Amino acid sequence: MTANPPKTQAASSLRTGLRIINAVLERETSGRTGFNVARLAQEMGIDPSKASRMTQELCDREFLERREDSTLRVAAGFHELARALNHGLLRGSRPVLRRLAIEHGAGARLSVRDGVLVRLLRAEAAAATEPWPVRVGLVTPCWCTGAGRALLLDHSGEEIAELLRGYELIGVGGPNAAHSAAEVAAANDRDRPGGMIAAHGEFEHGVTEYAVPVRDGQGRIFAALAVLGRHTDLKPREEAIRADLTASASSLGRLMEDTTA
């Protein structure tokens, strides 16, 4: 039998992952005892080793988590992503991002966290050709990007250390990228009082990214709003960008509430 090409394998894994999440969610909302991996594999008709491997990956990405009795339930990462993928939010964010891009002559992005990664949901640029081309779905590290640090702004140093445990931070990002979980936490401690992440050269040399968290009605961070461009262009506008991003994030938070009410 001819092996599946990589794209086919990826699509198959994605479908299986979504089926697993859906099965766990349905079981949880039914009020019945949750699935453990063996029961889940039996219920779905998939190989136990494959079920074990995929549920572990989903747990690593914080879409699922294991209870003390080894049964599975959907985790915060799933709910955060589901809220951020609300179509009303994506549709409503376009004019906000477009205005930010034009006003500040830079790129404007809306992103969510996927484990240790930052996933881009929507982007707008001030010109037809942006120096840093992007695509929806682009993933970048959370520890060396403005959006990533904004998404971790409510995390304690201990929580950041746990999230990044086992990941090699050295050699990733720009000249000012953090090289340890402690450095990520320290950078967030520095930026938190101003309410905005200022990432100068953290992902790419000469590039500054300003980012703020977008919060829901309960104050929980579910997305990040960012403006990025050449450091020399944006640094003189830092305070104006701070005020604009803060107001824009608040409007997106209210939009999310309106579309999910």
Side-chain angles (χ1 to χ4, degrees), residues 139-191:
V139 293
T140 51
C142 69
W143 62 84
C144 61
T145 55
R149 291 208 290 112
L151 289 161
L152 297 177
L153 201 57
D154 288 351
H155 281 53
S156 66
E158 291 77 11
E159 289 170 332
I160 290 174
E162 182 61 30
L163 176 68
L164 298 179
R165 191 181 308 280
Y167 286 90
E168 180 58 72
L169 276 61
I170 297 175
V172 179
N176 297 326
H179 293 158
S180 68
E183 289 184 10
V184 177
N188 272 10
D189 289 344
R190 178 197 69 215
D191 290 340

Side-chain angles (χ1 to χ4, degrees), residues 183-204:
E183 289 184 10
V184 177
N188 272 10
D189 289 344
R190 178 197 69 215
D191 290 340
R192 189 176 292 109
M196 180 182 76
I197 299 298
H200 305 302
E202 293 188 19
F203 187 64
E204 187 175 347

Side-chain angles (χ1 to χ4, degrees), residues 31-55:
R32 293 177 290 170
T33 302
F35 289 128
N36 59 26
V37 174
R39 185 71 181 86
L40 177 69
Q42 182 181 8
E43 182 75 13
M44 296 184 61
I46 59 177
D47 183 76
S49 61
K50 181 177 183 178
S52 178
R53 183 175 65 253
M54 295 205 69
T55 53

Side-chain angles (χ1 to χ4, degrees), residues 241-260:
I241 292 172
R242 184 193 310 274
D244 208 352
L245 278 176
T246 301
S248 298
S250 294
S251 70
L252 286 179
R254 290 193 298 271
L255 175 63
M256 195 278 288
E257 290 183 60
D258 292 343
T259 57
T260 56

Side-chain angles (χ1 to χ4, degrees), residues 63 74 78 82 179 201:
F63 289 139
V74 291
F78 169 79
H179 293 158

Side-chain angles (χ1 to χ4, degrees), residues 92-254:
S93 68
R94 183 174 184 180
V96 173
L97 293 170
R98 187 62 179 157
R99 186 190 58 75
L100 284 169
I102 294 172
E103 177 70 20
H104 302 292
R109 301 179 182 180
L110 180 68
S111 306
V112 294
R113 187 166 65 89
D114 181 358
V116 299
L117 300 176
V118 177
R119 190 171 300 277
L120 180 64
L121 296 184
R122 184 179 285 282
E124 295 288 336
T129 303
E130 189 182 2
W132 307 276
V134 296
R135 68 182 188 280
V136 171
L138 174 76
V139 293
T140 51
C142 69
W143 62 84
C144 61
T145 55
R149 291 208 290 112
L151 289 161
L152 297 177
L153 201 57
D154 288 351
H155 281 53
S156 66
E158 291 77 11
E159 289 170 332
I160 290 174
E162 182 61 30
L163 176 68
L164 298 179
R165 191 181 308 280
Y167 286 90
E168 180 58 72
L169 276 61
I170 297 175
V172 179
N176 297 326
H179 293 158
S180 68
E183 289 184 10
V184 177
N188 272 10
D189 289 344
R190 178 197 69 215
D191 290 340
R192 189 176 292 109
M196 180 182 76
I197 299 298
H200 305 302
E202 293 188 19
F203 187 64
E204 187 175 347
H205 177 75
V207 174
T208 281
E209 181 180 3
Y210 293 112
V212 297
V214 183
R215 299 177 183 273
D216 63 17
Q218 285 71 51
R220 297 170 298 196
I221 295 173
F222 70 92
L225 186 62
V227 165
L228 72 164
R230 293 182 179 89
H231 179 74
T232 52
D233 295 336
L234 296 188
K235 186 63 172 72
R237 301 180 56 82
E238 183 169 304
E239 289 311 311
I241 292 172
R242 184 193 310 274
D244 208 352
L245 278 176
T246 301
S248 298
S250 294
S251 70
L252 286 179
R254 290 193 298 271

